[in-house]
């Protein structure tokens, strides 16, 4: 992937994570700065990248939809179902990029969504399994491998072959 594609994906992921409360407004500003450095540009992106930490908390909610629209990215309203699904995929991307461990991914998904989000149900179940690994018949390495496989499925948008809807 080119630096612009990476920066675009990072900005989209940070925007969706912000929309569900998994990222701070200043994280979105940092992603905007990185996007500009990588060569992505739009008028609103320049404004967003210039926000201070204090300004970010107040101004990101109004400017972020404009930035994403200018860049042909998707804005997910806070706590929307589509935003939750996109956030699960964004967290999977972060794990696959080495920013989260498999255990951290499963735990964050479970804490944020419980067993209520069908797309993330398997990760919530695996978090439960981490909690009892010392009493079960699976190893940490096996659980990590299964979480990684689930993250790859989610990140690449493949449907779950075991789920019948």
């Amino acid at each position: 992937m080119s630096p612009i594609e990476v920066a675009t994906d990072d900005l989209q992921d940070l925007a969706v994570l912000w929309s569900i409360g998994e990222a701070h407004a200043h994280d979105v500003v940092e992603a905007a700065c990185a996007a500009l450095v990588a060569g992505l540009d739009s008028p609103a992106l320049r404004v967003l990248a210039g926000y201070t930490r204090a300004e970010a908390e107040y101004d990101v909610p109004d400017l972020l939809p404009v930035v994403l629209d200018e860049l042909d990215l998707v804005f997910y309203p806070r706590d929307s179902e589509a935003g939750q699904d996109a956030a699960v995929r964004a967290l999977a991307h972060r794990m696959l990029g080495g920013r989260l461990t498999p255990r951290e991914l499963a735990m964050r998904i479970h804490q944020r969504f419980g067993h209520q989000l069908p797309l993330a149900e398997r990760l919530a179940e695996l978090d439960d399994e981490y909690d009892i690994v010392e009493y079960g018949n699976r190893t940490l390495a096996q659980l990590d491998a299964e979480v990684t496989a689930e993250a790859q499925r989610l990140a690449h948008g493949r449907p779950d072959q075991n789920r019948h809807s």
Side-chain angles (χ1 to χ4, degrees):
M1 288 177 70
S2 74
I4 290 177
E5 291 170 323
V6 170
T8 301
D9 287 351
D10 284 348
L11 183 60
Q12 179 70 76
D13 284 352
L14 256 299
V16 73
L17 292 174
W18 172 83
S19 78
I20 65 154
E22 276 288 318
H24 299 285
H26 65 268
D27 296 327
V28 176
V29 171
E30 289 176 13
C33 291
L36 281 173
V37 169
L40 196 61
D41 194 16
S42 83
L45 181 65
R46 285 183 234 137
V47 172
L48 179 61
Y51 283 159
T52 65
R53 271 179 102 90
E55 291 169 329
E57 292 304 318
Y58 295 103
D59 295 333
V60 164
D62 293 329
L63 188 59
L64 186 58
V66 177
V67 170
L68 297 176
D69 184 58
E70 286 180 358
L71 298 173
D72 290 325
L73 299 175
V74 179
F75 175 74
Y76 296 96
R78 276 211 180 268
D79 297 318
S80 67
E81 187 174 328
Q84 291 174 346
D85 286 353
V88 168
R89 293 185 198 300
L91 287 168
H93 287 138
R94 290 176 96 55
M95 194 227 81
L96 294 171
R99 296 179 191 161
L100 296 171
T101 66
R103 171 63 190 200
E104 289 169 331
L105 172 64
M107 183 176 57
R108 285 177 73 175
I109 293 291
H110 196 189
Q111 287 175 341
R112 174 65 59 186
F113 304 110
H115 291 270
Q116 305 305 309
L117 190 63
L119 182 69
E121 174 60 20
R122 186 63 190 136
L123 288 173
E125 291 169 354
L126 288 166
D127 184 52
D128 289 335
E129 288 188 41
Y130 276 111
D131 293 339
I132 60 167
V133 71
E134 63 194 52
Y135 306 108
N137 58 359
R138 298 180 64 177
T139 66
L140 281 174
Q142 289 170 321
L143 287 174
D144 287 350
E146 189 167 345
V147 168
T148 300
E150 185 66 6
Q152 289 170 336
R153 181 189 69 79
L154 291 167
H156 296 94
R158 293 190 301 267
D160 186 343
Q161 303 301 325
N162 299 323
R163 206 168 280 146
H164 305 286
S165 317

